[in-house]
Amino acid sequence: MGCWTAYALRAEDGTIWIMGEKWGMWDLADATDRVRLVEAVLRGGTRVDEGRARVLLDGAFCRGAALDLIARRYRYYSCDPPDVHYLDCHARRRAAASDWDGWDVEYAWGGHDDFADMVAGAEPVFTDVETGPALPDEVPLTSREGWFVDWDPGEWRISVLHSEIIADFLAPAEAVVSLIRADHTVLDHQLAIREVVPWLARHGESLTETLPAHAPYPLPMEGTVNAGVVVDLPARRLRYWTTEPVPPRLTARMAAAWPGWRVERLPLGFVGHLAATGRNDPDLLLSDTKLREARWDEDLIAMRNADRRALRVDPRNLRTPRVEVVEDGGES
């Protein structure tokens, strides 16, 4: 089937153009790429005020690029990105490139919905009727079968049959939710869904009661989950990260479901999640070798490592359960 790319362009004369293209260009490395995209859209695109403009973008576009030549802004998003931290580093590198000097360059975390806000006049084309994913009524916890033994709140201990690496293989999770409680303890829960923002918007603050009713999980390894949430009860602060596009209207709906809370995107993905929950365990993180296998190049790896060194770990002395591996009835 292949990937389809959505384009939005505000030309220097103020006209607004849109275009859809199979494969196409979304990651514009330099001025040459920028000129090529502008020429392609002006040659093959459609004015946004034409009747067929809406129909042209009725399909699914898993990646896109938007250029505003007057305001000098560039937004882009991609298919199946490897990691949130990767996207943060990639966008910073693009913005720092000499060919983008004087431009406002960012990753479009809302997908092509962000184009409606960025390119004046494009809203009628890029604002879709929102149809969220089907989400379960119960907390969609990852299976514990075959690896989980017990949760002892008195001993503050989680017992498992295997190390977390094996557990991640037996029951792979899609997301992790960490709850920081009033006593500065942290409980982690693994979810079988990655659509954490629609889930937060649907259930709202009631999750602060339903989550603690379930036994906690060990924290998964980096690279095994695609999204995360940190629910900070003392600070009434909700932070999320996900590779899924989060349209602005969905963000607003999530904030409305958490009245009185500070709701924000957590940068740097899993690495930021660790720091936000008072942790900096290198054993949970991907090595540079694994990052190379996951499409990171040397410049981005260096940026990520610099981020890790500069990141401020939560100073509240947060406490997490210890995890013990049980074998043949004993502990190891």
Side-chain angles (χ1 to χ4, degrees):
M1 293 179 62
C3 299
W4 284 79
T5 305
Y7 301 119
L9 170 69
R10 183 161 74 141
E12 292 176 341
D13 63 1
T15 56
I16 311 298
W17 300 79
I18 59 97
M19 189 172 82
E21 183 179 28
K22 189 170 184 178
W23 304 118
M25 299 180 289
W26 58 270
D27 180 14
L28 309 180
D30 51 31
T32 301
D33 285 347
R34 186 167 66 238
V35 170
R36 285 174 55 213
L37 180 59
V38 170
E39 291 176 346
V41 175
L42 291 178
R43 181 175 60 251
T46 300
R47 289 272 296 267
V48 76
D49 52 1
E50 293 185 20
R52 66 192 186 104
R54 170 80 255 182
V55 178
L56 288 176
L57 293 185
D58 274 347
F61 291 84
C62 65
R63 56 191 188 180
L67 286 171
D68 185 332
L69 301 185
I70 297 176
R72 295 172 67 83
R73 288 183 292 191
Y74 167 42
R75 297 288 185 274
Y76 66 95
Y77 67 100
S78 64
C79 298
D80 194 26
D83 180 75
V84 170
H85 199 169
Y86 176 93
L87 297 176
D88 280 331
C89 290
H90 189 279
R92 292 209 314 269
R93 181 170 67 179
R94 277 287 167 269
S98 59
D99 278 359
W100 291 103
D101 186 35
W103 282 72
D104 174 8
V105 178
E106 290 185 8
Y107 187 81
W109 292 102
H112 68 58
D113 276 52
D114 283 1
F115 297 175
D117 294 331
M118 195 203 89
V119 180
E123 182 176 356
V125 174
F126 286 105
T127 302
D128 294 329
V129 176
E130 197 171 326
T131 56
L135 299 173
D137 292 327
E138 302 297 325
V139 177
L141 296 172
T142 301
S143 172
R144 301 179 193 267
E145 185 176 354
W147 66 276
F148 193 90
V149 177
D150 187 38
W151 158 238
D152 187 335
E155 294 293 328
W156 200 241
R157 178 184 63 204
I158 299 171
S159 301
V160 296
L161 288 175
H162 309 284
S163 71
E164 184 56 42
I165 295 176
I166 299 176
D168 287 337
F169 175 78
L170 291 175
E174 290 284 353
V176 57
V177 180
S178 299
L179 187 72
I180 302 175
R181 306 194 299 179
D183 60 357
H184 290 178
T185 57
V186 181
L187 297 178
D188 303 305
H189 294 83
Q190 297 183 22
L191 302 185
I193 62 168
R194 72 169 65 184
E195 298 89 357
V196 293
V197 176
W199 180 66
L200 293 167
R202 176 178 178 181
H203 294 285
E205 199 172 352
S206 67
L207 292 174
T208 62
E209 298 178 358
T210 55
L211 272 176
H214 300 276
Y217 287 63
L219 192 69
M221 303 283 293
E222 183 182 19
T224 63
V225 290
N226 300 288
V229 181
V230 178
V231 183
D232 190 335
L233 289 173
R236 292 183 67 80
R237 187 180 186 188
L238 180 70
R239 286 171 283 180
Y240 69 91
W241 56 275
T242 176
T243 56
E244 296 289 299
V246 182
R249 287 164 299 148
L250 178 55
T251 305
R253 200 169 79 238
M254 174 178 57
W258 294 76
W261 286 67
R262 179 180 173 186
V263 179
E264 57 195 344
R265 188 180 74 85
L266 180 64
L268 311 187
F270 189 86
V271 173
H273 193 119
L274 283 185
T277 53
R279 292 175 278 207
N280 188 22
D281 187 349
D283 292 336
L284 291 170
L285 298 174
L286 293 173
S287 66
D288 288 359
T289 299
K290 290 294 183 182
L291 292 174
R292 294 183 187 100
E293 294 173 359
R295 310 200 321 245
W296 291 64
D297 61 37
E298 297 304 318
D299 287 345
L300 294 183
I301 290 174
M303 291 177 68
R304 169 195 153 98
N305 289 336
D307 286 343
R308 284 182 52 200
R309 290 190 295 269
L311 202 57
R312 181 172 178 265
V313 175
D314 192 289
R316 288 176 292 182
N317 193 28
L318 301 175
R319 187 165 67 99
T320 58
R322 69 180 188 274
V323 179
E324 295 184 349
V325 178
V326 178
E327 294 180 355
D328 298 325
E331 297 177 355
S332 62

